[in-house]
Amino acid sequence: MAPMAKTSLLALAPEALPGEGFRKRQLAAWLYEKGVRQWDAMTDLPKAFRAELAEHYRLSEFTEVQAYPSQDGSVKYLYILLDGQKTEAVYMPYKNRRTLCVSSMVGCPAGCTFCATGRMGFGRNLSAAEILDQVLFAAYHQNHSPREIRNLVLMGMGEPLLNLENVFSAIERMLHPQGLSMSPRRITLSTVGIPRGIYRLADSGLGVRLALSLHAPDDETRKQIIPTAQRYPIAEIMEAVRYYYAKTRRRVTLEYTLLKDLNDREWQARALAQHFRGISAHVNLIPWNPWPGAPHRGTPRAQILRFKAVLEAQGIPTSVRFSRGRDVGAACGQLALQQPA
Ligand code: SAH
Ligand code: SF4
């Protein structure tokens, strides 16, 4: 059978893997603990069972993967999916902490003006298996067990809350004790602000961290750069975020990409702080990463620091996130399937 006609093992919950109870656990360990990508490597499974598995199931969601190492140690992975579409993830080692930034879609339908993924438009949703296999492949390529990737951010291509079912089932597999066995505190889902998705996430009990890409404290500015702001006013998004916080008690991260003369003024920093009264939040200021043909400019460093100082004076903990992997187009908002020069 052609790979596409087979069932992905990663699409199945560990309990639903083929074989009897003991075999299921062995298989789950090969997939999620050892991270092998070949049937032959599963040496403690009987040959006949392996042959049967190979007949009906597939072990990879990709026909090919290209790795682009950055000078700073991060690596951008370009995955070619079975239908020929492409998606990307970014591996970021930092001392003993290994973080992977994964995609939830091919492209993105949200169309934010400052984001290269938004510019390329929407390809399709990724399946849960395709989301998970980004992690498994990156770990394999780095010679680590998949479980050694301890931090995961859903901040690659796509809007995770517009692909909610698949994203939630990928997260379930990440948290599952026989899956990647990750702590929910080490998974962060970043959203452009889809209120009904935020409520669903809060009610799901998954317990992962939430990052909100607000990028402006006022609807007027926000609508200029984020098309979904036409439908979802900030007040509605913040109501959902308050619900999330009340339910999970997890500190919320606010992402704010600074664009010159657009959202980087001091009154906007003061207005931003007002939205976070009464919830524990942390602001990540992201210097804007350029991409060819973008209609924006980044805020100069001195103004970034002034913006930060205003937020801190209002009691909001703030950090500036200097993106990694700029040289290979792997930084926030640069993922658009271009091959680095
Ligand atoms: N769709 C989700 C997650 C992917 S984008 C979201 O929007 O949150 C991940 C982060 O990168 C978001 O905060 C996004 O606003 C930011 N981003 C997009 N383009 C950027 C750019 N060119 N420079 C810096 N940050 C950017
Ligand atoms: Fe999509 Fe996020 Fe980029 Fe907006 S910033 S276009 S929501 S990936």
Side-chain angles (χ1 to χ4, degrees):
M1 261 198 285
M4 257 179 106
K6 299 182 184 181
T7 305
S8 170
L9 275 189
L10 302 179
L12 307 172
E15 310 70 45
L17 287 170
E20 296 304 313
F22 175 61
R23 293 275 177 251
K24 280 188 213 295
R25 282 195 298 280
Q26 281 178 308
L27 202 47
W30 283 117
L31 292 175
Y32 297 108
E33 256 182 82
K34 302 186 186 101
V36 303
R37 302 189 68 82
Q38 264 136 15
W39 300 110
D40 287 345
M42 302 183 178
T43 46
D44 60 0
L45 298 181
K47 265 210 159 125
F49 183 50
R50 270 187 266 161
E52 204 186 302
L53 289 172
E55 176 71 24
H56 299 285
Y57 298 93
R58 62 169 185 261
L59 266 183
S60 175
E61 296 304 309
F62 316 122
T63 55
E64 194 191 327
V65 183
Q66 287 157 14
Y68 300 98
S70 157
Q71 310 225 329
D72 63 22
S74 55
V75 180
K76 173 161 107 168
Y77 289 99
L78 174 72
Y79 304 90
I80 310 196
L81 304 160
L82 299 181
D83 64 355
Q85 300 248 38
K86 296 171 191 158
T87 195
E88 297 180 333
V90 185
Y91 174 74
M92 294 165 283
Y94 182 73
K95 295 188 181 149
N96 261 336
R97 213 177 64 190
R98 301 182 188 94
T99 300
L100 193 72
C101 172
V102 299
S103 293
S104 56
M105 293 176 171
V106 175
C108 183
C112 304
T113 59
F114 49 85
C115 171
T117 307
R119 167 64 65 88
M120 67 179 274
F122 181 53
R124 67 167 171 85
N125 284 336
L126 295 180
S127 67
E130 288 168 330
I131 296 168
L132 274 170
D133 210 14
Q134 295 170 52
V135 187
L136 299 185
F137 186 92
Y140 175 83
H141 188 259
Q142 296 290 331
N143 278 315
H144 288 301
S145 155
R147 293 197 176 166
E148 288 177 280
I149 294 195
R150 297 289 300 283
N151 299 282
L152 218 131
V153 294
L154 280 147
M155 292 187 185
M157 286 192 169
E159 170 46 49
L161 294 183
L162 292 177
N163 182 17
L164 199 131
E165 303 297 335
N166 294 341
V167 165
F168 284 13
S169 76
I171 293 175
E172 276 164 19
R173 228 74 93 223
M174 292 167 188
L175 300 177
H176 197 291
Q178 285 181 57
L180 291 177
S181 191
M182 292 183 77
S183 153
R185 290 159 194 276
R186 292 175 177 275
I187 299 177
T188 302
L189 183 151
S190 173
T191 177
V192 71
I194 311 291
R196 66 172 182 283
I198 297 173
Y199 287 110
R200 291 271 310 268
L201 185 66
D203 290 336
S204 71
L206 289 170
V208 297
R209 291 186 187 275
L210 178 69
L212 173 67
S213 297
L214 204 58
H215 306 311
D218 56 298
D219 286 314
E220 201 191 322
T221 309
R222 201 165 189 266
K223 281 180 193 166
Q224 288 174 39
I225 50 179
I226 301 178
T228 58
Q230 307 285 350
R231 227 173 333 146
Y232 308 117
I234 293 171
E236 244 175 70
I237 298 173
M238 289 312 300
E239 212 176 293
V241 169
R242 277 171 202 285
Y243 180 82
Y244 184 87
Y245 179 70
K247 203 120 193 204
T248 63
R249 292 273 138 191
R250 291 251 194 272
R251 180 201 266 193
V252 173
T253 299
L254 183 90
E255 290 164 286
Y256 200 100
T257 300
L258 285 156
L259 303 166
K260 189 171 188 313
D261 299 331
L262 239 166
N263 63 0
D264 61 354
R265 302 174 184 103
E266 286 173 34
W267 70 264
Q268 285 163 316
R270 279 191 296 274
L272 187 60
Q274 294 307 315
H275 289 303
F276 289 86
R277 296 270 166 255
I279 49 178
S280 164
H282 172 267
V283 176
N284 251 332
L285 296 175
I286 315 174
W288 179 70
N289 294 307
W291 43 273
H296 294 290
R297 280 166 172 266
T299 298
R301 195 187 164 95
Q303 181 61 21
I304 294 179
L305 296 177
R306 270 197 292 276
F307 198 90
K308 177 175 191 270
V310 173
L311 283 170
E312 280 174 340
Q314 307 279 321
I316 311 282
T318 305
S319 47
V320 182
R321 181 164 85 202
F322 289 99
S323 293
R324 304 180 65 182
R326 268 194 187 192
D327 56 337
V328 290
C332 304
Q334 290 185 319
L335 299 185
L337 307 173
Q338 270 116 351
Q339 327 249 325

